[in-house]
PDB file of all heavy atoms in Angstrom:
ATOM      1  N   VAL A 276      11.893  -3.064  -6.146  1.00 98.00           N
ATOM      2  CA  VAL A 276      11.966  -1.869  -5.310  1.00 98.00           C
ATOM      3  C   VAL A 276      10.551  -1.396  -4.996  1.00 98.00           C
ATOM      4  O   VAL A 276       9.690  -1.350  -5.875  1.00 98.00           O
ATOM      5  CB  VAL A 276      12.728  -0.734  -6.044  1.00 98.00           C
ATOM      6  CG1 VAL A 276      12.764   0.530  -5.187  1.00 98.00           C
ATOM      7  CG2 VAL A 276      14.126  -1.185  -6.411  1.00 98.00           C
ATOM      8  N   MET A 277      10.356  -1.028  -3.725  1.00 98.00           N
ATOM      9  CA  MET A 277       9.040  -0.574  -3.277  1.00 98.00           C
ATOM     10  C   MET A 277       9.149   0.878  -2.815  1.00 98.00           C
ATOM     11  O   MET A 277      10.086   1.231  -2.103  1.00 98.00           O
ATOM     12  CB  MET A 277       8.603  -1.467  -2.124  1.00 98.00           C
ATOM     13  CG  MET A 277       7.386  -1.020  -1.372  1.00 98.00           C
ATOM     14  SD  MET A 277       7.089  -2.132   0.020  1.00 98.00           S
ATOM     15  CE  MET A 277       6.107  -3.396  -0.740  1.00 98.00           C
ATOM     16  N   VAL A 278       8.177   1.700  -3.199  1.00 98.00           N
ATOM     17  CA  VAL A 278       8.233   3.110  -2.818  1.00 98.00           C
ATOM     18  C   VAL A 278       6.919   3.552  -2.195  1.00 98.00           C
ATOM     19  O   VAL A 278       5.840   3.245  -2.712  1.00 98.00           O
ATOM     20  CB  VAL A 278       8.654   3.984  -4.032  1.00 98.00           C
ATOM     21  CG1 VAL A 278       7.834   3.696  -5.265  1.00 98.00           C
ATOM     22  CG2 VAL A 278       8.563   5.462  -3.717  1.00 98.00           C
ATOM     23  N   ALA A 279       7.039   4.284  -1.071  1.00 98.00           N
ATOM     24  CA  ALA A 279       5.841   4.779  -0.384  1.00 98.00           C
ATOM     25  C   ALA A 279       5.751   6.304  -0.539  1.00 98.00           C
ATOM     26  O   ALA A 279       5.034   6.803  -1.412  1.00 98.00           O
ATOM     27  CB  ALA A 279       5.873   4.385   1.094  1.00 98.00           C
ATOM     28  N   ARG A 280       6.496   7.070   0.288  1.00 98.00           N
ATOM     29  CA  ARG A 280       6.313   8.532   0.283  1.00 98.00           C
ATOM     30  C   ARG A 280       6.631   9.170  -1.064  1.00 98.00           C
ATOM     31  O   ARG A 280       5.962  10.127  -1.467  1.00 98.00           O
ATOM     32  CB  ARG A 280       7.171   9.161   1.386  1.00 98.00           C
ATOM     33  CG  ARG A 280       6.639   8.859   2.776  1.00 98.00           C
ATOM     34  CD  ARG A 280       7.670   9.178   3.824  1.00 98.00           C
ATOM     35  NE  ARG A 280       8.893   8.423   3.604  1.00 98.00           N
ATOM     36  CZ  ARG A 280      10.070   8.713   4.131  1.00 98.00           C
ATOM     37  NH1 ARG A 280      10.194   9.744   4.921  1.00 98.00           N
ATOM     38  NH2 ARG A 280      11.128   7.951   3.880  1.00 98.00           N
ATOM     39  N   GLY A 281       7.620   8.645  -1.751  1.00 98.00           N
ATOM     40  CA  GLY A 281       7.955   9.205  -3.073  1.00 98.00           C
ATOM     41  C   GLY A 281       6.750   9.130  -4.005  1.00 98.00           C
ATOM     42  O   GLY A 281       6.525  10.036  -4.831  1.00 98.00           O
ATOM     43  N   ALA A 282       5.943   8.068  -3.858  1.00 98.00           N
ATOM     44  CA  ALA A 282       4.747   7.908  -4.701  1.00 98.00           C
ATOM     45  C   ALA A 282       3.595   8.745  -4.160  1.00 98.00           C
ATOM     46  O   ALA A 282       2.824   9.328  -4.915  1.00 98.00           O
ATOM     47  CB  ALA A 282       4.354   6.437  -4.760  1.00 98.00           C
ATOM     48  N   LEU A 283       3.495   8.806  -2.834  1.00 97.00           N
ATOM     49  CA  LEU A 283       2.426   9.603  -2.231  1.00 97.00           C
ATOM     50  C   LEU A 283       2.562  11.068  -2.652  1.00 97.00           C
ATOM     51  O   LEU A 283       1.584  11.739  -2.981  1.00 97.00           O
ATOM     52  CB  LEU A 283       2.524   9.467  -0.698  1.00 97.00           C
ATOM     53  CG  LEU A 283       1.705  10.401   0.169  1.00 97.00           C
ATOM     54  CD1 LEU A 283       0.219  10.274  -0.132  1.00 97.00           C
ATOM     55  CD2 LEU A 283       1.940  10.100   1.653  1.00 97.00           C
ATOM     56  N   TRP A 284       3.789  11.569  -2.657  1.00 96.00           N
ATOM     57  CA  TRP A 284       4.018  12.980  -2.982  1.00 96.00           C
ATOM     58  C   TRP A 284       3.905  13.242  -4.478  1.00 96.00           C
ATOM     59  O   TRP A 284       3.563  14.343  -4.888  1.00 96.00           O
ATOM     60  CB  TRP A 284       5.386  13.425  -2.448  1.00 96.00           C
ATOM     61  CG  TRP A 284       5.450  13.342  -0.946  1.00 96.00           C
ATOM     62  CD1 TRP A 284       4.381  13.448  -0.091  1.00 96.00           C
ATOM     63  CD2 TRP A 284       6.605  13.127  -0.135  1.00 96.00           C
ATOM     64  NE1 TRP A 284       4.811  13.306   1.212  1.00 96.00           N
ATOM     65  CE2 TRP A 284       6.175  13.117   1.220  1.00 96.00           C
ATOM     66  CE3 TRP A 284       7.975  12.940  -0.397  1.00 96.00           C
ATOM     67  CZ2 TRP A 284       7.050  12.929   2.283  1.00 96.00           C
ATOM     68  CZ3 TRP A 284       8.848  12.759   0.665  1.00 96.00           C
ATOM     69  CH2 TRP A 284       8.384  12.757   1.986  1.00 96.00           C
ATOM     70  N   ASN A 285       4.234  12.270  -5.283  1.00 97.00           N
ATOM     71  CA  ASN A 285       4.030  12.418  -6.729  1.00 97.00           C
ATOM     72  C   ASN A 285       4.012  11.023  -7.347  1.00 97.00           C
ATOM     73  O   ASN A 285       5.057  10.427  -7.603  1.00 97.00           O
ATOM     74  CB  ASN A 285       5.132  13.282  -7.364  1.00 97.00           C
ATOM     75  CG  ASN A 285       4.789  13.639  -8.797  1.00 97.00           C
ATOM     76  OD1 ASN A 285       4.134  12.845  -9.495  1.00 97.00           O
ATOM     77  ND2 ASN A 285       5.215  14.796  -9.249  1.00 97.00           N
ATOM     78  N   ALA A 286       2.797  10.542  -7.607  1.00 98.00           N
ATOM     79  CA  ALA A 286       2.627   9.151  -8.078  1.00 98.00           C
ATOM     80  C   ALA A 286       3.297   8.906  -9.422  1.00 98.00           C
ATOM     81  O   ALA A 286       3.550   7.757  -9.791  1.00 98.00           O
ATOM     82  CB  ALA A 286       1.144   8.800  -8.141  1.00 98.00           C
ATOM     83  N   SER A 287       3.618   9.986 -10.137  1.00 98.00           N
ATOM     84  CA  SER A 287       4.269   9.783 -11.446  1.00 98.00           C
ATOM     85  C   SER A 287       5.756   9.476 -11.293  1.00 98.00           C
ATOM     86  O   SER A 287       6.473   9.403 -12.295  1.00 98.00           O
ATOM     87  CB  SER A 287       4.040  10.990 -12.348  1.00 98.00           C
ATOM     88  OG  SER A 287       4.704  12.129 -11.861  1.00 98.00           O
ATOM     89  N   ILE A 288       6.214   9.248 -10.072  1.00 98.00           N
ATOM     90  CA  ILE A 288       7.591   8.786  -9.845  1.00 98.00           C
ATOM     91  C   ILE A 288       7.887   7.511 -10.642  1.00 98.00           C
ATOM     92  O   ILE A 288       9.025   7.219 -10.985  1.00 98.00           O
ATOM     93  CB  ILE A 288       7.859   8.547  -8.337  1.00 98.00           C
ATOM     94  CG1 ILE A 288       9.346   8.274  -8.094  1.00 98.00           C
ATOM     95  CG2 ILE A 288       7.010   7.417  -7.785  1.00 98.00           C
ATOM     96  CD1 ILE A 288       9.728   8.160  -6.625  1.00 98.00           C
TER      97      ILE A 288
END
Side-chain angles (χ1 to χ4, degrees):
V276 178
M277 170 184 273
V278 50
R280 289 165 302 162
L283 168 59
W284 297 333
N285 190 328
S287 67
I288 188 174

